[in-house]
Amino acid sequence: MEDLAEYHGPISKRQAEEILNEAGRDGSYLIRDSMSAAGSYCVCVLVFRQKDGLWTIEVAPGMKERLFRKVENLIAAFKIPDQGISVPLMYPVNKPK
């Protein structure tokens, strides 16, 4: 996860919202550690690692759950419109160096 430029580490939800507000574009996203689910991450919605090591994201009701071996693959899939989340992940907001 640390390899991804858009991974911001253990920042709060409020900090993430502030960073995304500064970006000011619908479809902007970043990744941060989940504060409520240890070992999970947030990408606009919670990203879960299952017991088998696969990753999934919460999708709209009626949409089929999709499983991914890598978070990078999950992000690539949800950059495409109409995949079950309200806005595609279009604009990564990278952590400042």
Side-chain angles (χ1 to χ4, degrees), residues 25-86:
R25 293 172 75 172
D26 202 12
S28 294
Y29 71 96
L30 60 79
I31 302 170
R32 67 174 179 87
D33 295 343
S34 171
M35 300 299 178
S36 60
S40 296
Y41 303 91
C42 293
V43 182
C44 299
V45 294
L46 211 51
V47 174
F48 300 95
R49 184 172 220 169
Q50 298 188 333
K51 290 179 183 175
D52 57 8
L54 297 176
W55 295 91
T56 188
I57 194 168
E58 186 178 340
V59 293
M63 296 295 292
K64 184 178 178 183
E65 178 182 56
R66 297 174 64 186
L67 302 174
F68 300 88
R69 292 181 194 267
K70 296 181 178 183
V71 172
E72 294 92 331
N73 297 344
L74 180 149
I75 292 169
F78 287 101
K79 286 182 176 181
I80 302 167
D82 301 320
Q83 298 300 308
I85 58 176
S86 59

Side-chain angles (χ1 to χ4, degrees), residues 9-19 30 32-33 35:
I11 63 172
S12 70
K13 179 180 178 181
R14 183 179 180 105
Q15 288 172 299
E17 289 170 350
E18 289 171 5
I19 293 167
L30 60 79
R32 67 174 179 87
D33 295 343
M35 300 299 178

